[in-house]
């Protein structure tokens, strides 16, 4: 989809979803606060979105472009918020606990001078090990 020129199906779909959201808000206000449906502005907004989506293509295009622009901005912001939250709530505490309790996980500190990083596993290798290494 070209964000600058959405097709008719995308415009109608977007405005129908906005109309549905307005309808849900109107029903929630009616249910929770007793606002009569005849006097609710959300119900009028839902009807307006449906009429615009079906009959006023230039305005529907404008609303669709604005809606998708807002969704891209929210997506960019929220992905950073979620990833930052995961980092600071999960990964940072785990890494600090690892540092507290595991002194040398990569075995970078050598023992006495002249020792190597090689670890002897004590296994005798045969031709079969080289034929199927995995």
């Amino acid at each position: 989809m070209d964000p600058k020129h959405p097709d008719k199906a995308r415009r109608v779909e977007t405005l129908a979803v906005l109309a549905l959201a307005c309808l849900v808000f109107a029903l929630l206000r009616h249910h929770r606060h007793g606002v009569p449906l005849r006097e609710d502005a959300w119900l009028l907004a839902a009807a307006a979105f449906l009429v615009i989506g079906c009959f006023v293509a230039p305005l529907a295009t404008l609303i669709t472009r604005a809606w998708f622009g807002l969704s891209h901005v929210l997506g960019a912001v929220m992905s950073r918020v979620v990833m930052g939250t995961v980092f600071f709530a999960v990964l940072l505490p785990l890494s600090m606990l690892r540092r507290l309790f595991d002194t040398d996980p990569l075995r970078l500190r050598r023992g006495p001078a002249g020792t190597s990083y090689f670890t002897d596993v004590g296994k005798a290798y045969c031709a079969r090990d080289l034929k199927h290494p995995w």
Side-chain angles (χ1 to χ4, degrees), residues 54-117:
C54 291
F55 301 113
V56 188
L59 187 55
T61 301
L62 248 158
I63 293 171
T64 303
R65 285 173 54 195
W67 183 253
F68 279 105
L70 177 68
S71 71
H72 285 293
V73 169
L74 285 176
V77 170
M78 289 309 296
S79 65
R80 287 171 175 82
V81 168
V82 168
M83 294 306 287
T85 303
V86 167
F87 177 79
F88 286 112
V90 177
L91 296 176
L92 186 66
L94 283 176
S95 67
M96 288 187 170
L97 285 173
R98 174 83 184 214
R99 278 193 180 191
L100 280 175
F101 295 114
D102 196 3
T103 55
D104 193 15
L106 296 177
R107 296 185 205 132
L108 295 177
R109 294 189 193 102
R110 292 185 184 198
T115 59
S116 74
Y117 291 116

Side-chain angles (χ1 to χ4, degrees), residues 7-23:
D7 58 346
K8 183 178 181 180
R10 182 69 63 172
R11 288 191 311 254
V12 171
E13 177 185 347
T14 302
L15 288 164
V17 168
L18 290 174
L20 179 65
C22 290
L23 181 63

